[in-house]
Structure formats: structure tokens, C-alpha cells
Amino acid sequence: LKVAEYRILAIGDIVGAESTDRVCRAVGRLRNEYRADLVIANGENAARGNGLDRVTAESLLSSGIDVLTSGNHIWQKHGMQDYIDGNRFVLRPANYPSGTPGKGFVVYDSCGIRVLVMNVLGTVFMEPLACPFEAVEKMLAENAGEYCISFLDIHAEATSEKLALAYYFDGRISAVCGTHTHVQTSDARVLPGGTGYITDLGMCGAENSVLGVKKECVIERLRTHMPVRFENPEGEATFLEGALYTCDTATGKALSVEAIRCRI
Ligand code: FE2
């Protein structure tokens, strides 16, 4: 019996306007290359400076990314609060207080397969938002019976928090990734219960940079402790980092997960 496989390409934090342009140009090719059924990217730093704006979100979504997840920088740009209410394919972390614009999940329908895509913010070394464990539990309960495959982006600083969340939901979510640190981890694997997992996808940004920011700016900030304007490098070799999950549509569990890094 042939297993029906569903493939999710998850792309790490896109950093800055130039990386956004490069991702837009590359995503169609990557989609084919990896035979991805669904492409998800974290877009919270995709606009110039950081944050996400309407134009940037629209260009990423029209280039072949199906859902944008986000994190702590989602409200940075003016107008995002209105925009996110009108576009269900741009998520904000689910554990913001009730009444916050936008949603922390969407059920994406592709080729008859319904995928629950969720986004949550970690609380260790970050804003003291509501418990991410409870927020994910609530989204799973609210959407029970409405999806076949599920995906969770945990936007968090602490590797321990991401791992703990992944183990807590092991076997109940098809694919879990961490984002936010912009450094890809080497622990992509299927957990014992069947959840595909990686602690951090990494980023789409300049190779010779500090987390996508001009290295000189970050060095100066750390040496002088004075305010320094962060800029993104221009015209430099750029990495796209992420992971490819293959899921079994019969069981909703992951069959494999592999980390991806390529030049774009
Ligand atoms: Fe972040």
C-alpha cells in the first residue's frame, strides 16, 4: 500500500527587503525542487528594518509562499494591526491577549488536504505572554476534526522551551519548528511519537552577517553599548535556511524531516 505523502517546506526568518526579493524569486524553483505541497515562512523581519508590512507580506504570498508566520516583531510596522485582521494567511503568535488583531492559526486547504498551521511565542527570555503550552492545546481542541496534517512554528529564544513544547505535543502535531534565533540547529529528526522537529530553522539572510544584520553594526553595538542603527547588508551572498517535512496523510505523523540550506 502506497503511503500518501504530504510535503511541507518551512523557511526560517526572512531578514530584510533584499532577502525578501531573493526569496520571492527563488520560491517557485524551491517548491518544484522539493515537491512541496505547502510552503510556510516566518516573515516577522522581512520588511526593511524589521517587522512585516502589507507590501512585503503580499509579495511573499503572491510569489508562492502559502502562509506567513511571525513573532515578537509583528507589530513593528504601522498598519499591521488592520492588515492582519483581513488576511488569514498571515499569522501572529496565538498567545497574545484575547482581542489582539489577527489569529494564531489557519486551516490551509491544499489539494483536498487540510493543514492546521499554528504559531506561538515562547515566554523564556521574551515577553511574558500567556502559556504557549495552553495556547497550542486550545488551538488543537478548537480545530479538532478539521485537519489532517498540523504544523507549529514556535518563535522562541530558548532551545529548552522549544524542545519541551515539541516533546509535550509529540505525536499530536505532524511538524514542529523553532524560529527566532536565526541560527539553524543540527537536530532535525522525527521524535518518538511521530512529530517532525527542528529546534531552529535558521534564516534567509546574508551569509557574512550577524543574524542578517551588517556585522559592523552589531560589533559596534556590543563593543560600545551605544545605540547603533541596524542595517541589512546589500548585494552579498545570501542563504535560505529551513526544513522539509514529509508527512503521512493517513496518520498525520511525520515520516522524515531534513534541514535545508542553499544559496539564493
Ligand atoms: Fe523574532
Side-chain angles (χ1 to χ4, degrees):
L1 193 76
K2 196 178 173 296
V3 174
E5 292 181 357
Y6 189 86
R7 294 155 76 89
I8 302 173
L9 173 62
I11 299 174
D13 302 42
I14 301 163
V15 190
E18 189 182 308
S19 300
T20 295
D21 290 344
R22 288 174 186 246
V23 171
C24 287
R25 286 198 299 268
V27 71
R29 172 174 59 80
L30 295 170
R31 218 187 155 105
N32 289 337
E33 206 172 294
Y34 293 111
R35 292 181 288 118
D37 299 296
L38 182 68
V39 182
I40 300 165
N42 191 298
E44 72 142 12
N45 295 300
R48 192 166 296 282
N50 59 16
L52 182 63
D53 56 35
R54 174 191 296 266
V55 173
T56 304
E58 293 290 320
S59 58
L60 286 165
L61 291 170
S62 62
S63 73
I65 288 169
D66 300 305
V67 180
L68 285 169
T69 55
S70 65
N72 51 313
H73 289 133
I74 186 65
W75 311 118
Q76 205 93 357
K77 297 282 190 229
H78 188 71
M80 201 58 207
Q81 297 181 33
D82 292 331
Y83 174 67
I84 208 165
D85 253 343
N87 194 331
R88 61 194 192 96
F89 302 111
V90 180
L91 303 182
R92 49 88 172 157
N95 46 340
Y96 275 105
S98 59
T100 303
K103 275 190 149 189
F105 67 89
V106 66
V107 177
Y108 192 92
D109 203 323
S110 76
C111 330
I113 302 290
R114 281 187 294 178
V115 186
L116 171 64
V117 182
M118 300 172 282
N119 188 192
V120 78
L121 203 57
T123 54
V124 178
F125 312 129
M126 298 190 83
E127 282 175 83
L129 294 184
C131 174
F133 291 82
E134 288 178 15
V136 174
E137 200 74 78
K138 204 174 148 212
M139 289 189 280
L140 292 175
E142 212 172 302
N143 293 286
E146 297 298 317
Y147 61 90
C148 159
I149 303 285
S150 52
F151 174 93
L152 171 65
D153 174 359
I154 308 166
H155 195 76
E157 187 75 54
T159 47
S160 58
E161 190 178 23
K162 294 186 246 197
L163 263 167
L165 272 157
Y167 276 120
Y168 186 77
F169 290 103
D170 184 17
R172 298 170 61 199
I173 303 178
S174 319
V176 173
C177 70
T179 55
H180 179 67
T181 73
H182 296 199
V183 178
Q184 189 177 67
T185 55
S186 64
D187 63 341
R189 69 198 192 279
V190 179
L191 300 181
T195 290
Y197 175 72
I198 184 168
T199 296
D200 208 294
L201 293 175
M203 68 164 181
C204 304
E207 199 173 314
N208 288 309
S209 70
V210 178
L211 315 183
V213 173
K214 260 187 194 167
K215 54 190 183 306
E216 293 78 10
C217 303
V218 182
I219 292 169
E220 195 188 336
R221 164 91 69 95
L222 291 172
R223 290 192 70 226
T224 65
H225 293 269
M226 288 293 121
V228 178
R229 233 178 83 96
F230 279 6
E231 288 164 33
N232 302 120
E234 276 168 32
E236 294 207 21
T238 299
F239 273 144
L240 175 144
E241 294 174 322
L244 182 72
Y245 299 81
T246 305
C247 306
D248 180 341
T249 54
T251 62
K253 299 200 178 190
L255 298 165
S256 68
V257 49
E258 59 168 305
I260 285 166
R261 173 189 286 162
C262 59
R263 281 245 175 97
I264 53 168

